[in-house]
Amino acid sequence: MALRRKLGFSAVLALVVGDIIGSGIFFTPGQLAAVASDEWQVYFIWTLCGGIALCGALTLAELSVLLPKPGVAYHALTEAYGRFAGFLQAWIMVLVSGPGAIAGIAILFGELANRIFGTEDRELGWAVAAIVVFAAVNLRGAEWGGRTQIVLTSVKLCGLVALVFGAVGFAPPADALRETDVASGIDPFALLRFLGLGVAIVLFTYDGWIDASNVAGEVKDPGRSFPLAMGLGVTLVIAVYLLVNYAFLSVLTLAEMRAEPALVAATVAEAAFGKLGGGALNALICISILGALGGLILTLPRLYYAAARAYAAQARSTRMAPFFNGVASLTERTAVPAGAILFACGMSLAALIFFGTFSRIVTFFLVPFQFMNILMVSTIFRLRPRLSTEAHWRMPLFPLLPLVFMSVMSVFLIAAIVFNPLDSVIGVALTLLGIPVYRALADAPADSRT
């Protein structure tokens, strides 16, 4: 039995957009205002970070066309650098990055649900409930998960557009006399510092584009759907982010945003729609977070399934055989990787309970995750000459796009290690635990069937 190709272009586009747009757009503009001295810098940084994400997304789109299988990153690393590279990527996603990503988004939802419903110290309960609900939805079938993403992504986009129109059309405009910290000349050192700080603040809000590639084995016409969905999806997110920032700056000055950075979105919503605006904004943030969470719970288990299926033959004579067979199992009726879905959610619940806060979860998985992203993007240099055909889609501006992504992400990988050493070391240590596991499986040949 194999996965079935049931997901169309709309579902893939919804996954790309829905996984990227989470809660960051509602809180990051206030943080960026703290380091920006003029409005043009705000638009520049959001566009620049979107461009970096687009470089990675278009590279992954071509890899998805070359290897239209579940867990594209796993297969790309295996084909380009050998079995250990693919195993390490799967190991990181199983033990570190994957559970950390789901748990991090779930705890954000839990904290917001606490405020909306007036509960106290129940964020873990809300987070657990959200994970369980999306697991149940995806166990029904890939089409159920895809439809859920289309609905949630459509609602969040409509909500953001309504916020923009409300801010521009109904809210009192910001003071026309906008203060600026910029002198008559441009200080190159100050500009360089702003670029470093600004990209560090904003780039995280563009994460998520990689997740859609995990469902490549269930997409109809992947050679057309993936390049179009990746390119259009990231471009659409850039446009939405720029419009939201325009709306915020039409109501508040940079100085006002600096004064209360966490309340920027709430202030704008109330200025546009009155007291109902605050409640509506909280609902919109909830839907936005749930869309990102649902996308991860739909896509991540497909990577687990691909890796478990590849290593099931190697584990046949070991005590790990039941584990690999269980994770690689599909349901008879809907061909859903039920074992992988349950395992992914179980690991996420463990990470949620162990770390407990969003900031710790993020620093825990950031270094291993970004390292493997850089390595995954680099595979295009080996796989394009080996697997390309006349008919397959090719990204524009090759090799510039992958090189830009790899260079920028390498800088931020170093910065993450320097500024968050303790939790980064935990993530790296858990990653290195994969080495003895791989060696235990290395004697038998890999079965690369998917």
Side-chain angles (χ1 to χ4, degrees):
M1 184 186 298
L3 296 171
R4 300 170 188 168
R5 295 190 178 276
K6 297 181 177 180
L7 300 176
F9 166 75
S10 298
V12 180
L13 180 62
L15 278 171
V16 175
V17 175
D19 280 16
I20 294 176
I21 300 178
S23 62
I25 185 57
F26 302 102
F27 303 107
T28 302
Q31 299 171 359
L32 183 61
V35 299
S37 56
D38 208 337
E39 290 183 13
W40 71 266
Q41 296 178 343
V42 172
Y43 299 120
F44 175 76
I45 285 294
W46 282 95
T47 305
L48 175 64
C49 290
I52 295 168
L54 188 59
C55 290
L58 291 177
T59 304
L60 183 59
E62 182 167 347
L63 290 172
S64 298
V65 173
L66 294 173
L67 295 165
K69 305 175 182 181
V72 169
Y74 165 79
H75 291 290
L77 287 162
T78 300
E79 291 281 346
Y81 300 121
R83 288 186 294 162
F84 178 68
F87 175 86
L88 191 61
Q89 197 267 351
W91 178 263
I92 289 172
M93 293 303 295
V94 166
L95 196 62
V96 186
S97 303
I102 291 176
I105 296 173
I107 197 65
L108 281 179
F109 169 75
E111 291 169 356
L112 184 59
N114 255 353
R115 294 203 303 268
I116 292 175
F117 297 102
T119 55
E120 294 184 6
D121 301 324
R122 299 289 177 85
E123 58 272 7
L124 283 178
W126 287 110
V128 169
I131 291 174
V132 170
V133 167
F134 277 111
V137 169
N138 283 283
L139 286 170
R140 293 289 304 274
E143 63 270 37
W144 278 82
R147 290 168 189 161
T148 302
Q149 282 306 110
I150 291 172
V151 171
L152 288 173
T153 300
S154 299
V155 171
K156 82 166 69 174
L157 287 177
C158 290
L160 286 169
V161 170
L163 179 62
V164 170
F165 275 104
V168 174
F170 304 114
D175 189 344
L177 183 60
R178 297 179 181 271
E179 296 182 358
T180 178
D181 300 328
V182 178
S184 56
I186 296 178
D187 182 348
F189 295 102
L191 182 60
L192 185 62
R193 175 181 178 275
F194 164 72
L195 284 174
L197 293 174
V199 173
I201 291 169
V202 172
L203 193 58
F204 181 74
T205 63
Y206 282 100
D207 276 354
W209 47 267
I210 189 173
D211 301 318
S213 67
N214 289 328
V215 299
E218 296 164 278
V219 175
K220 306 169 186 174
D221 191 11
R224 174 185 176 276
S225 296
F226 266 105
L228 188 58
M230 285 288 191
L232 181 59
V234 176
T235 302
L236 180 60
V237 171
I238 295 171
V240 169
Y241 282 176
L242 290 175
L243 284 172
V244 171
N245 277 276
Y246 173 76
F248 289 170
L249 288 168
S250 70
V251 177
L252 300 172
T253 64
L254 281 175
E256 291 169 332
M257 292 172 70
R258 290 188 206 110
E260 294 183 303
L263 299 178
V264 169
T267 301
V268 172
E270 290 184 11
F273 302 109
K275 292 183 178 180
L276 292 176
L281 178 70
N282 283 334
L284 176 59
I285 297 174
C286 262
I287 292 170
S288 188
I289 293 172
L290 288 174
L293 180 63
L296 274 175
I297 295 177
L298 170 61
T299 58
L300 183 63
R302 272 64 184 180
L303 173 62
Y304 290 6
Y305 163 81
R309 185 176 172 87
Y311 281 89
Q314 290 176 263
R316 191 169 298 160
S317 60
T318 72
R319 295 180 179 179
M320 291 183 285
F323 165 76
F324 282 102
N325 290 332
V327 176
S329 64
L330 298 175
T331 58
E332 290 288 340
R333 186 171 62 85
T334 59
V336 167
I341 292 172
L342 293 174
F343 177 73
C345 292
M347 290 294 295
S348 302
L349 293 174
L352 187 67
I353 294 168
F354 180 76
F355 287 97
T357 66
F358 178 73
S359 60
R360 285 203 69 199
I361 290 171
V362 170
T363 54
F364 154 68
F365 75 79
L366 179 64
V367 170
F369 178 70
Q370 295 297 357
F371 172 76
M372 294 311 298
N373 281 352
I374 294 167
L375 199 61
M376 177 271 296
V377 167
S378 74
T379 64
I380 192 66
F381 295 102
R382 289 193 169 206
L383 297 181
R384 177 187 261 210
R386 188 189 308 171
L387 302 176
S388 63
T389 65
E390 289 294 328
H392 103 270
W393 179 85
R394 292 173 173 80
M395 81 179 88
L397 300 178
F398 179 85
L400 178 63
L401 299 190
L403 288 175
V404 167
F405 179 85
M406 292 167 61
S407 300
V408 173
M409 297 313 300
S410 296
V411 171
F412 285 99
L413 189 67
I414 295 170
I417 296 172
V418 171
F419 292 109
N420 298 289
L422 179 59
D423 286 328
S424 296
V425 167
I426 295 175
V428 172
L430 288 173
T431 300
L432 295 178
L433 287 176
I435 296 176
V437 177
Y438 175 78
R439 294 187 65 179
L441 296 170
D443 291 337
D447 180 0
S448 60
R449 292 172 299 171
T450 59

